[in-house]
Structures are given as structure tokens and as C-alpha cells.
Amino acid sequence: MNIVAIVGSTRKDSYNMQITKFMQQRYTEEMNLEILDIGSLPLYNQDTENEPNEAVTTLRSKVKAADAVLWVTPEHNATISTAHKNALDWLSRVEQVMIGKPSWIIGASMGNLGSVKAQAHLRDILFAPGLSSPVLPGNEVYIGAVHTKLDENGVLTDEGTVKYLDVVVNNVLSWIKKMHTDQA
């Protein structure tokens, strides 16, 4: 299964990127997880949406070809990051490659709630008409106090969190497979 990950933090030492890379290594047997670069996207501008640059066309083509999108979100001022919103705007216009594309949301923060508000907002945005991306309910992953759960190599060391993530990965991948089977 081919999944693309869109990480909402462009920070060099992003905890959310570390979690995504951990998943990329841990679940190699279950999925091919490609992390897409959204840091080089220009700010969305309706004046240029019909003639996007290479970063936008690459993002759109990789999302279109994927079986699903994994959104890994930090929480900035109780919502999603500017980087995520910008990517969503590019994906929701012109080609609208997200329509019907399964989405999966996880997130981490240093706070106890682990990006719960950002994930709620992201879920709402994914249901917008230009995106219309289904999300499997009941499989939310909120990694709070993430800075205490990663080692110096970016490995998630909290046993309970890893076990829960294993369950969610299995649930979500089974759901995505079922969606693709039902559409065939």
C-alpha cells in the first residue's frame, strides 16, 4: 500500500517529522510511506492556481497516485499549521486530487493533549467540498508530551503509545484496503 505523509511542521527538529520517520521505518512491511515536502510550496494564490510551479504539481501528482494520505499535524495556536493549510488549499483547487482519497490523521505536541484541537480542525477541513476526504473515526492518535517519548535518534520509546499506534495502523490500513476493494 502506498501512503503519502504530509507533515505540518517544517521545523528542522520537528517532533511530528520524527514520529513520521519512526512510522516509515517501523511499518515497512505494511506500507510504503513517502514523506512529501510541503516547505517549498508557494503560498496559495488564486491568480496562479492554473499555472502552478513544480512543487505544487509534484504534490498533486503524488497525492493523486497514493492509496491514502497520512496527515501528521502539530498544533499551532490551537489549530493546524500554516504549512498544512497551504497544502490543503493547493490540493483543494483545480484538480481536486483529494476528493474520495482516504485520509488518516495523527499528531504530536509537547502539551498533554497531543494536537487534539488541530486534529479536530483538520478533520473539519478535510470534509470541505474541494477536499471531501473520508477519515476513519475512532482511530485518533494524539501523542502528548512527545518530547518525553522520543529518544535522541527519534525513536518512539513509549511502549503504550507504540502498541496503540500498531493497532491504529492495522485498523486504518484494513479500512483503506476495504475502501479500494469496494470501489473496484
Side-chain angles (χ1 to χ4, degrees):
M1 183 162 312
N2 293 312
I3 310 291
V4 292
I6 301 178
V7 181
S9 176
T10 56
R11 186 173 69 87
K12 179 183 164 218
D13 296 320
S14 162
Y15 293 123
N16 283 281
M17 182 61 80
Q18 289 178 52
I19 296 292
T20 309
K21 288 180 178 178
F22 169 80
M23 291 177 67
Q24 192 177 44
Q25 292 172 354
R26 182 169 179 86
Y27 304 110
T28 56
E29 296 296 317
E30 293 83 358
M31 65 181 157
N32 174 37
L33 183 61
E34 180 182 2
I35 302 169
L36 303 183
D37 172 28
I38 62 171
S40 61
L41 292 173
L43 286 177
Y44 170 75
N45 183 332
Q46 191 173 8
D47 292 340
T48 62
E49 72 179 9
N50 290 312
E51 296 175 9
N53 73 5
E54 185 178 345
V56 174
T57 58
T58 299
L59 174 72
R60 285 179 178 162
S61 67
K62 288 187 179 275
V63 167
K64 184 176 183 177
D67 294 310
V69 178
L70 170 61
W71 298 90
V72 187
T73 188
E75 190 164 284
H76 294 182
N77 297 315
T79 192
I80 64 172
S81 69
T82 304
H84 258 167
K85 180 64 171 86
N86 191 47
L88 287 156
D89 287 345
W90 280 113
L91 292 171
S92 71
R93 303 289 295 189
V94 185
E95 292 180 43
Q96 298 180 325
V97 296
M98 287 296 300
I99 293 179
K101 180 80 57 184
S103 279
W104 168 20
I105 305 170
I106 70 168
S109 72
M110 292 175 67
N112 291 331
L113 298 179
S115 77
V116 69
K117 290 180 180 179
Q119 289 191 44
H121 292 165
L122 180 54
R123 199 167 290 105
D124 286 345
I125 294 166
L126 287 168
F127 291 131
L131 294 162
S132 298
S133 178
V135 179
L136 180 66
N139 287 275
E140 293 80 9
V141 177
Y142 308 112
I143 304 173
V146 66
H147 59 293
T148 66
K149 297 176 181 173
L150 291 166
D151 70 12
E152 63 279 352
N153 298 314
V155 174
L156 189 57
T157 58
D158 183 73
E159 194 174 310
T161 303
V162 173
K163 283 182 180 179
Y164 180 68
L165 193 56
D166 289 346
V167 169
V168 170
V169 167
N170 182 58
N171 291 346
V172 171
L173 293 180
S174 295
W175 171 69
I176 294 166
K177 285 178 190 170
K178 184 176 180 339
M179 283 190 69
H180 287 293
T181 301
D182 291 348
Q183 292 172 355

